[in-house]
C-alpha cells in the first residue's frame, strides 16, 4: 500500500514539473544552507572534546575582583601550592607558551609550542601517537632534555620515520632526545609543534608572575559548584600563607567555555538561527504554493473519496507527496552542504574557529535527514489537511471553485505575514552587523599599516636577563635592516598590533597623586619597544621624549604611556615625571613621554598601554617591523640575508605585511555580516515570492468577482488600489512583527555590534522602507493583471 502511494506520488509530481522543481530547489537551498552552518556548530559546540570524560575538565584560572580580572593566567608558585592542596581537583597540569628554533636536517625552522608538566597528559587522558609522554623525572631541574613533537611535524619534516624516536633533535642550540609524538588533541590547549617538560625553579619564580595556564580534572562525582567552593578554600589558605596573593582567588571554567569564547558561540548560534529562519520562510512559501495547488486538486480528492478512499488514506497520500519532495530536496541540499563545507574549509582564514576539523559526520547527516522530514511535514501537513478535510459534496457542487476559499485565504495571508516578519527581523540583524563591519573598517588605528613588513625572531637567550648577547644582536639588527635597499626604517617590539600571541597585561599601582587611591591597582596592557619603533610604526609622540639606548638595565626605569592611559591615571594633569609601580615585582617606572593611542588587540577597542624599552628587557620571541618605500615583500630576500649574516642558523616566522594582520582582525565580523546578508537576501527573495503568490492566487480566485464589479462600473484604478491595500496590510503587519522581534534580540546582539546601537532607528527605517517597496512591487504585478480582466470573458466563465 505504501509503495502504491509512493508510485502514485511520483506520477503526480511528474505531471507538474514546474511546481515540483521549484519546491525541490527551494528545499535544497534551505536544507543545504542550514546543514552547512550546523556542521560548523556541531564541530565547535556539540562534538565532544577529544579527551577522556571531558565534562570533568576545567581551566583553573586565577581571578582578582579588585583588579576586575574574572579570569587570568596562573602563577607558577601558586600552581605549586595548589598541587600540595588540590582539594576537589583530582589532577592538575600546567601549560606554558614557548618557541623553538629547530636546527637539524633541512632548513632552520622556528616553531611554536610550549612547556608542559607531565601531569597534563594524565589529566586529559591523552596517549602519544608513538613513543611516550613526559614523566615526572623529565621536569626535575638538571634532568636530561627531552621533547615531543606533533604528528604533523613528524610527517612533514621527517617522513614519519619511527627511528627518530630516541634520537636527538636540536632545539634552540641544545640537543633534546625525542621521546614521543604528541596527539593532535594537545593543540586545543597548547597550539604548536614542539613541547618540552616544564621545570620549576622556585628561586627564580615570583608568586605574582602569571605566565602559565593550569588545567584540572575534577574528582568523580564532584559538581562544578562543589569544586569551586573547594578551590575557594584552597585559594584562601594560600593567601593566608602568602599575603602578597591574598586578593587572588581561583575560578574554575569548564573546558567548552574556555576553548570556545562566548562571542564565537553567540555568532554561531545566531547564524544557525538565521538559516533556520530562511528555511521556515521557505517552508511557509512552499505551503502557500501547495495551498494554491490544492484548489486544482480538490475535485480529484473528492472523486477519490466518493470511490471509497478514507480521509486518512487521502491525508497519507498527500503527506507522502510532500515528504518525497522534501527528501529529494534534502539529498540535493546535503550534497551542496558537503561541497560548501569543503570549499569554506579551504578558503577561510586560519585560526578563525577554535577547531579546524569541520566536516560532515553522522550527526550532521542525521540532522539533515531529520530536518528534511520535519520540513516536509511542516509545509505539507496544513495543505494536506485542508484538502483532505474539504466536504466532498460541497467540492463536487463547486465545480472547480474552492469550498473553503475564505478560511484558506486567511491561512495563506497568515503564512505570508509570517514570512515578511521573519525576513524583516533577519534584515535588521544583518543591517546592524553590516554597519558594525563598516565602522570597524574605518576606525583610526593609531598607526600607519601601509608599507610595513612584519616577522618574528626567537632568541632563546633573551629569557635570561644576565645574557647580554640578545641585546647586542638586536642593536646590530635594527640598523642592518634599516640599511636594506627599499627600507626606510626598522624596529623591534614584543608584539605588533593584532599580531600572533602578543597580549600582555600586568597590574600596576599609581605612585603619588592620581585619579585613584594609592592602594588601587589597574591591569594595563604593555609592550616592549625599541627607540625606533614609534617612528617606524607611525605612532605619534605627543609629549616628552622617546626611548634611547641609554634606557637600559641599570639606568632609572622609565616608560612611555598612551594618551588614554595618561588620562585614565592622571586626568588633565601633566603625566611627565609621574610614576607607576608594578604589582608583580614592586618595580617603579617613571613616565618620560606620551604617545598616541593604538588599537592593539581588536578593532573595536582602544587599549590603554604602557611601553618599556627593549634596551631594558627582551622576550624570547620578538616582532620585527621594517618600513619600506615599496611593497613590503620586495625587501624580504635582502632582510633574510642581513639576518643570516648576523646569525646563519636563525629562522624567521610569521612573515606578513602589517595590512594582513589588520585585515585578519576584521575577518570574523566581516564574515558574520556577509553570511547574514546572504541569508537575509534569500529570505527577502522568498518572502517576496510568497506575497506575490498570495496576491496572484487571490486574483485567480476572484476573477469572476472582479469582472462583475468592473461590469457594474467599478473603475480599474479602484480594483488595483484594493488589491494593493490587501498586500500592503499583509506586508505592514509582517514588518511590524519583524521589527518587534529584532528589538527583542537586542541583548543578544549587544556584544556583536560596534559604532551602532541594537535599536538603531536608521537601520530599522531602512529595512521597513525596503520591505514596503518590495511588497508594493510584488503586489503591483497581480493587481495590474486584475485590472486587465475582460468583464465579458470573466462573466462567461463565472
Amino acid at each position: 500500500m505504501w509503495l502504491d502511494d509512493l508510485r502514485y506520488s511520483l506520477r503526480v509530481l511528474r505531471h507538474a514539473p514546474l511546481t515540483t522543481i521549484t519546491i525541490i530547489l527551494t528545499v535544497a537551498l534551505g536544507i543545504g544552507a542550514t546543514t552547512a552552518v550546523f556542521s560548523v556548530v556541531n564541530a565547535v559546540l556539540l562534538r565532544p572534546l577529544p579527551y577522556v570524560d571531558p565534562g570533568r575538565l576545567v581551566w583553573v584560572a586565577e581571578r582578582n575582583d579588585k583588579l576586575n580580572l574574572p579570569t587570568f593566567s596562573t602563577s607558577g608558585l601558586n600552581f605549586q601550592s595548589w598541587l600540595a592542596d588540590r582539594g576537589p581537583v583530582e589532577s592538575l597540569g600546567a601549560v606554558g607558551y614557548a618557541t623553538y628554533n629547530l636546527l637539524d636536517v633541512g632548513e632552520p625552522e622556528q616553531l611554536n609550542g610550549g612547556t608542559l608538566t607531565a601531569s597534563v597528559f594524565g589529566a586529559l587522558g591523552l596517549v602519544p601517537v608513538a613513543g611516550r609522554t613526559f614523566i615526572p623525572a623529565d621536569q626535575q631541574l638538571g634532568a636530561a632534555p627531552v621533547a615531543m613533537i606533533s604528528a604533523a611535524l613528524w610527517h612533514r619534516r621527517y617522513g614519519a620515520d619511527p627511528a627518530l624516536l630516541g634520537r636527538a633533535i636540536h632545539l634552540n642550540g641544545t640537543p633534546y632526545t625525542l621521546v614521543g609524538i604528541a596527539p593532535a588533541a594537545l593543540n586545543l590547549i597548547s597550539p604548536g609543534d614542539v613541547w618540552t617538560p616544564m621545570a620549576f625553579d622556585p628561586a627564580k619564580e615570583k608568586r605574582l608572575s602569571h605566565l602559565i595556564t593550569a588545567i584540572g580534572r575534577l574528582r568523580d562525582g564532584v559538581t562544578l559548584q562543589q569544586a569551586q567552593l573547594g578551590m575557594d578554600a584552597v585559594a584562601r589558605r594560600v593567601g593566608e600563607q602568602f599575603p602578597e596573593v591574598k586578593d587572588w582567588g581561583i575560578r574554575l571554567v569548564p573546558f567548552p567555555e574556555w576553548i570556545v569564547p562566548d562571542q564565537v558561540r553567540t555568532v554561531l548560534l545566531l547564524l544557525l538561527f538565521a538559516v533556520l529562519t530562511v528555511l521556515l520562510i521557505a517552508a511557509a512559501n512552499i505551503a502557500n504554493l501547495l495551498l494554491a495547488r490544492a484548489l486544482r486538486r480538490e475535485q480529484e480528492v473528492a472523486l477519490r473519496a466518493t470511490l471509497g478512499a478514507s480521509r486518512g488514506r487521502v491525508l497519507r497520500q498527500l503527506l507522502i507527496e510532500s515528504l518525497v519532495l522534501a527528501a529529494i530536496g534534502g539529498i540535493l541540499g546535503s550534497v551542496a552542504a558537503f561541497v560548501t563545507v569543503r570549499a569554506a574549509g579551504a578558503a577561510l582564514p586560519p585560526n578563525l574557529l577554535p577547531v579546524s576539523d569541520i566536516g560532515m559526520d553522522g550527526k550532521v547527516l542525521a540532522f539533515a535527514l531529520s530536518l528534511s522530514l520535519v520540513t516536509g511535514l511542516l509545509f505539507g501537513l496544513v495543505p494536506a489537511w485542508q484538502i483532505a478535510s474539504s466536504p466532498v459534496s460541497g467540492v463536487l457542487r463547486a465545480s472547480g471553485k474552492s469550498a473553503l476559499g475564505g478560511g484558506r485565504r486567511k491561512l495563506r495571508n497568515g503564512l505570508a505575514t509570517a514570512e515578511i516578519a521573519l525576513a524583516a527581523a533577519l534584515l535588521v540583524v544583518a543591517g546592524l552587523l553590516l554597519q558594525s563591519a563598516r565602522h570597524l573598517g574605518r576606525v583610526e588605528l593609531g598607526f600607519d599599516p601601509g608599507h610595513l613588513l612584519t616577522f618574528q625572531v626567537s632568541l632563546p637567550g633573551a629569557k635570561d636577563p644576565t645574557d647580554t648577547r640578545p641585546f647586542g644582536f638586536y642593536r646590530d639588527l635594527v640598523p642592518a635592516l634599516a640599511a636594506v635597499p627599499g627600507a626606510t626604517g626598522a624596529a623591534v617590539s614584543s608584539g605588533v598590533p593584532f599580531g600572533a600571541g602578543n597580549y600582555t597585561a600586568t597590574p600596576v599601582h599609581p605612585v603619588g597623586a592620581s585619579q585613584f587611591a594609592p592602594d588601587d591597582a589597574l591591569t594595563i596592557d604593555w609592550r616592549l619597544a625599541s627607540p625606533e619603533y614609534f617612528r617606524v610604526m607611525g605612532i605619534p609622540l605627543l609629549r616628552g621624549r622617546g626611548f634611547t639606548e641609554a634606557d637600559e638595565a641599570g639606568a632609572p626605569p622609565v616608560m612611555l604611556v598612551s594618551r588614554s592611559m595618561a588620562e585614565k591615571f592622571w586626568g588633565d594633569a601633566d603625566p611627565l615625571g609621574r610614576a607607576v609601580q608594578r604589582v608583580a615585582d614592586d618595580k617603579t617606572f617613571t613616565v618620560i613621554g606620551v604617545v598616541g593611542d593604538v588599537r592593539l588587540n581588536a578593532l573595536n577597542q582602544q587599549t590603554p598601554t604602557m611601553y618599556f624599552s627593549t634596551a631594558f628587557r627582551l622576550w624570547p620571541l620578538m616582532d620585527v617591523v621594517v618600513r619600506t618605500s615599496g611593497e613590503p615583500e620586495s625587501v624580504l630576500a635582502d632582510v633574510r640575508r642581513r639576518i643570516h649574516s648576523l646569525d646563519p642558523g636563525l629562522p624567521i616566522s610569521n612573515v606578513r605585511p602589517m595590512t594582513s594582520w589588520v585585515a585578519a582582525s576584521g575577518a570574523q565580523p566581516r564574515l558574520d555580516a556577509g553570511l547574514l546578508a546572504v541569508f537575509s537576501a534569500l529570505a527577502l527573495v522568498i518572502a517576496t515570492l510568497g506575497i506575490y503568490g498570495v496576491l496572484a492566487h487571490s486574483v485567480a480566485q476572484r476573477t469572476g468577482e472582479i469582472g462583475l464589479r468592473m461590469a457594474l462600473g467599478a473603475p480599474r484604478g479602484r480594483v488595483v488600489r484594493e488589491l494593493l491595500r490587501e498586500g500592503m496590510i499583509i506586508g505592514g503587519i509582517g514588518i511590524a512583527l519583524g521589527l518587534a522581534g529584532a528589538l527583542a534580540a537586542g541583548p543578544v546582539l549587544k556584544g556583536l555590534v560596534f559604532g551602532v546601537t541594537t535599536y538603531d532607528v536608521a537601520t530599522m527605517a531602512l529595512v521597513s522602507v525596503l520591505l514596503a517597496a518590495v511588497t508594493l512591487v510584488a503586489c503591483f504585478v497581480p493587481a495590474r493583471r486584475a485590472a486587465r480582466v475582460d468583464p465579458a470573458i470573466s462573466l462567461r466563465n463565472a
Side-chain angles (χ1 to χ4, degrees):
M1 186 179 296
W2 288 93
L3 288 176
D4 292 338
D5 289 340
L6 179 60
R7 282 191 290 268
Y8 182 76
S9 297
L10 292 173
R11 285 200 304 270
V12 169
L13 297 177
R14 193 167 59 246
H15 291 151
L18 184 59
T19 300
T20 299
I21 291 172
T22 300
I23 293 174
I24 288 174
L25 291 180
T26 303
V27 172
L29 182 66
I31 297 291
T34 308
T35 302
V37 173
F38 179 77
S39 67
V40 181
V41 172
N42 173 58
V44 177
L45 301 182
L46 303 180
R47 186 183 297 163
L49 294 172
Y51 308 120
V52 174
D53 198 3
R56 292 165 55 197
L57 292 173
V58 290
W59 170 30
V60 189
E62 294 206 51
R63 78 167 192 265
N64 191 312
D65 297 334
K66 285 189 176 181
L67 297 177
N68 193 29
L69 294 173
T71 55
F72 205 64
S73 52
T74 301
S75 156
L77 290 179
N78 282 350
F79 176 77
Q80 293 289 313
S81 297
W82 300 346
L83 283 175
D85 182 13
R86 66 184 64 173
V89 178
E90 180 178 274
S91 55
L92 277 169
V95 178
Y97 175 74
T99 58
Y100 302 90
N101 293 334
L102 179 59
L103 307 169
D104 53 8
V105 297
E107 287 293 317
E109 189 173 356
Q110 183 183 306
L111 301 168
N112 291 327
T115 57
L116 309 172
T117 60
S119 54
V120 164
F121 297 93
L124 298 176
L126 294 180
V127 295
V129 174
R132 67 169 177 87
T133 61
F134 299 141
I135 57 177
D138 293 332
Q139 60 191 56
Q140 299 301 313
L141 292 175
V146 297
M148 297 181 70
I149 63 173
S150 68
L153 178 64
W154 188 40
H155 283 80
R156 173 173 58 82
R157 190 170 177 111
Y158 302 103
D161 181 6
L164 185 67
L165 293 170
R167 285 168 30 192
I169 59 174
H170 286 75
L171 302 172
N172 299 337
T174 300
Y176 282 72
T177 301
L178 184 66
V179 297
I181 308 301
L186 184 60
N187 271 273
L188 277 178
I189 66 162
S190 181
D193 287 298
V194 180
W195 297 271
T196 56
M198 180 182 291
F200 289 98
D201 185 353
K204 294 182 179 180
E205 295 283 342
K206 294 183 174 63
R207 194 161 286 273
L208 285 171
S209 179
H210 296 78
L211 296 175
I212 64 174
T213 299
I215 62 169
R217 176 177 290 275
L218 303 184
R219 298 187 188 278
D220 193 15
V222 175
T223 66
L224 182 66
Q225 292 75 19
Q226 291 169 338
Q228 183 63 66
L229 292 173
M231 294 306 288
D232 288 343
V234 170
R236 282 195 299 271
R237 289 193 287 270
V238 174
E240 290 168 0
Q241 188 177 359
F242 304 100
E244 64 266 36
V245 294
K246 62 182 175 61
D247 294 329
W248 288 90
I250 297 173
R251 183 185 172 196
L252 301 181
V253 181
F255 253 41
E257 294 181 21
W258 173 43
I259 291 174
V260 183
D262 287 342
Q263 186 167 344
V264 173
R265 190 182 304 270
T266 300
V267 167
L268 288 178
L269 293 177
L270 179 62
L271 290 174
L272 183 60
F273 170 79
V275 289
L276 285 172
T277 298
V278 173
L279 186 60
L280 278 175
I281 294 173
N285 211 18
I286 293 171
N288 258 334
L289 187 62
L290 292 179
L291 278 171
R293 188 173 169 224
L295 176 63
R296 299 191 297 271
R297 300 194 62 187
E298 280 181 336
Q299 292 288 319
E300 169 206 334
V301 172
L303 183 59
R304 293 184 64 192
T306 59
L307 295 176
S310 65
R311 177 175 296 178
R313 176 67 187 276
V314 171
L315 182 62
R316 187 181 68 196
Q317 171 65 54
L318 295 171
L319 280 178
I320 287 176
E321 292 178 19
S322 299
L323 291 174
V324 168
L325 291 169
I328 298 173
I331 292 171
L332 292 177
S334 298
V335 173
F338 176 79
V339 174
T340 301
V341 170
R342 289 285 296 272
L348 287 177
N351 304 321
L352 196 62
L353 294 170
V355 299
S356 57
D357 54 335
I358 309 297
M360 301 274 288
D361 58 14
K363 186 184 294 184
V364 175
L365 292 175
F367 172 82
L369 176 64
S370 302
L371 198 61
S372 302
L373 177 63
V374 171
T375 303
L377 291 174
L378 197 63
F379 68 66
L381 188 59
V382 173
W385 180 259
Q386 285 279 320
I387 300 175
S389 60
S390 300
V392 174
S393 58
V395 171
L396 293 175
R397 285 196 304 270
S399 301
K401 300 177 182 61
S402 175
L404 293 173
R408 189 169 297 162
R409 182 184 302 171
K410 290 180 180 178
L411 178 60
R412 298 193 72 218
N413 288 353
L415 289 172
T417 300
E419 291 181 51
I420 291 293
L422 291 170
L426 205 53
L427 280 167
V428 169
V429 173
L432 293 174
L433 293 190
L434 284 171
Q435 285 201 69
S436 297
R438 181 171 59 87
H439 287 306
L440 286 173
R442 296 180 177 180
V443 296
E444 290 291 333
L445 299 174
F447 65 96
D448 179 10
H451 300 287
L452 275 180
L453 179 71
T454 73
F455 56 90
Q456 291 181 313
V457 173
S458 178
L459 287 177
K463 194 172 184 179
D464 183 358
T466 64
D467 190 344
T468 59
R469 288 174 298 175
F471 293 93
F473 173 83
Y474 285 115
R475 273 195 295 267
D476 294 338
L477 176 66
V478 168
L481 295 181
V484 165
T488 60
V492 177
S493 170
S494 60
V496 296
F498 314 116
N502 67 344
Y503 178 77
T504 47
T506 189
V508 294
H509 290 290
V511 177
S514 73
Q515 301 278 85
F516 307 100
D519 58 343
D520 284 346
L522 282 84
T523 301
I524 301 294
D525 273 42
W526 63 272
R527 296 288 186 277
L528 301 171
S530 65
E532 306 83 0
Y533 178 75
F534 302 98
R535 179 187 65 81
V536 172
M537 290 293 293
I539 302 172
L541 177 66
L542 305 178
R543 304 194 63 176
R545 70 170 178 88
F547 293 131
T548 67
E549 293 296 339
D551 299 316
E552 59 185 5
V558 296
M559 64 189 297
L560 297 175
V561 298
S562 66
R563 175 165 49 192
S564 59
M565 178 183 168
E567 292 173 351
K568 191 179 189 72
F569 274 72
W570 301 289
D572 296 331
D574 186 359
L576 298 183
R578 308 271 182 171
V580 298
Q581 185 181 65
R582 285 198 309 217
V583 173
D585 56 8
D586 292 332
K587 189 178 291 291
T588 299
F589 291 81
T590 302
V591 177
I592 59 169
V594 179
V595 296
D597 285 316
V598 174
R599 296 183 186 270
L600 291 175
N601 305 313
L603 287 171
N604 61 355
Q605 61 183 4
Q606 207 165 48
T607 311
T609 311
M610 308 178 289
Y611 296 92
F612 305 112
S613 175
T614 52
F616 172 77
R617 182 182 179 183
L618 292 170
W619 273 135
L621 181 68
M622 298 294 289
D623 284 77
V624 181
V625 291
V626 179
R627 182 163 289 283
T628 63
S629 55
E631 291 299 318
E633 293 87 349
S634 64
V635 302
L636 182 56
D638 285 330
V639 164
R640 289 185 188 275
R641 279 193 288 271
R642 294 296 173 96
I643 291 174
H644 290 160
S645 70
L646 297 173
D647 188 336
L650 185 65
I652 65 175
S653 65
N654 273 324
V655 181
R656 297 171 69 173
M658 189 69 235
T659 51
S660 174
W661 289 115
V662 176
S665 67
Q668 182 72 62
R670 285 196 303 271
L671 179 63
D672 300 339
L675 287 175
L676 272 175
V678 170
F679 297 149
S680 300
L682 288 175
L684 178 61
V685 170
I686 296 172
T688 303
L689 292 175
I691 282 203
Y692 169 80
V694 167
L695 266 294
H697 185 256
S698 177
V699 169
Q701 280 191 309
R702 297 165 60 189
T703 300
E705 172 200 335
I706 292 170
L708 179 60
R709 292 178 60 190
M710 288 194 293
L712 295 176
R716 295 180 184 271
R718 182 185 297 175
V719 173
V720 172
R721 285 195 300 273
E722 288 182 2
L723 288 170
L724 288 177
R725 184 170 65 249
E726 179 183 343
M728 294 306 292
I729 288 174
I730 294 172
I733 295 174
I735 292 170
L737 292 174
L739 294 182
L743 285 172
V748 177
L749 300 174
K750 192 171 183 181
L752 302 179
V753 297
F754 173 75
V756 63
T757 62
T758 57
Y759 49 86
D760 183 61
V761 175
T763 300
M764 294 189 175
L766 183 61
V767 168
S768 300
V769 171
L770 174 64
L771 278 171
V774 168
T775 301
L776 183 62
V777 172
C779 297
F780 181 75
V781 175
R784 187 181 178 191
R785 185 183 303 158
R788 293 178 175 178
V789 168
D790 187 329
I793 295 175
S794 62
L795 288 174
R796 278 200 306 270
N797 294 332

